[in-house]
C-alpha cells in the first residue's frame, strides 16, 4: 500500500456520509441558539420590571441561562440523531 492509497483509505466514504447540507445545519443551529437565549432574555427583561436588586436579577437570569443551556444540549443531541436517521434512509 503506497502513500496515495493510504490517504484514500483514511479519507473513506464514512466521512462523506456524515455531512449535512448547509441549509439544514443553519436551520438546526438557529433552533438550538433560540432555545438557549430567548428564555434568559425574557427572564432578564421581566426581572428588570419587578425588582431593582441587581444581584437578584443576575442570579435568577444566570440560573435560567444554565437551565436553557442544558435543555439546548439535549435538543441538539435529539436533532442530530434525527438527522442521522434521515440520512441513513
Amino acid at each position: 500500500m503506497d502513500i496515495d492509497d493510504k490517504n484514500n483509505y483514511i479519507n473513506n466514504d464514512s466521512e462523506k456520509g456524515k455531512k449535512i447540507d448547509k441549509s439544514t445545519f443553519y436551520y438546526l443551529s438557529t433552533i438550538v441558539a433560540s432555545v438557549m437565549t430567548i428564555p434568559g432574555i425574557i427572564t432578564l427583561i421581566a426581572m428588570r420590571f419587578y425588582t431593582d436588586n441587581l444581584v437578584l436579577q443576575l442570579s435568577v437570569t444566570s440560573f435560567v441561562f444554565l437551565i436553557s443551556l442544558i435543555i439546548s444540549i439535549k435538543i441538539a443531541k435529539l436533532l442530530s440523531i434525527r438527522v442521522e436517521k434521515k440520512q441513513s434512509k
Side-chain angles (χ1 to χ4, degrees), residues 1-2 6 18 20 25-27 30 37 41 44 54 62 68 76 84:
M1 191 185 273
D2 60 342
K6 189 174 183 180
K18 294 182 181 179
I20 60 173
F25 178 75
Y26 293 148
Y27 175 71
T30 303
T37 57
I41 292 171
L44 179 62
L54 185 63
S62 297
S68 63
E84 287 176 5

Side-chain angles (χ1 to χ4, degrees), residues 6-17:
K6 189 174 183 180
N7 288 337
N8 289 335
Y9 178 73
I10 292 172
N11 298 327
N12 205 357
D13 288 338
S14 63
E15 292 295 323
K16 290 181 182 177

Side-chain angles (χ1 to χ4, degrees), residues 48-60:
R48 295 287 290 174
F49 286 115
Y50 289 116
T51 183
D52 290 333
N53 189 354
L54 185 63
V55 175
L56 181 64
Q57 291 173 8
L58 290 176
S59 60
V60 171

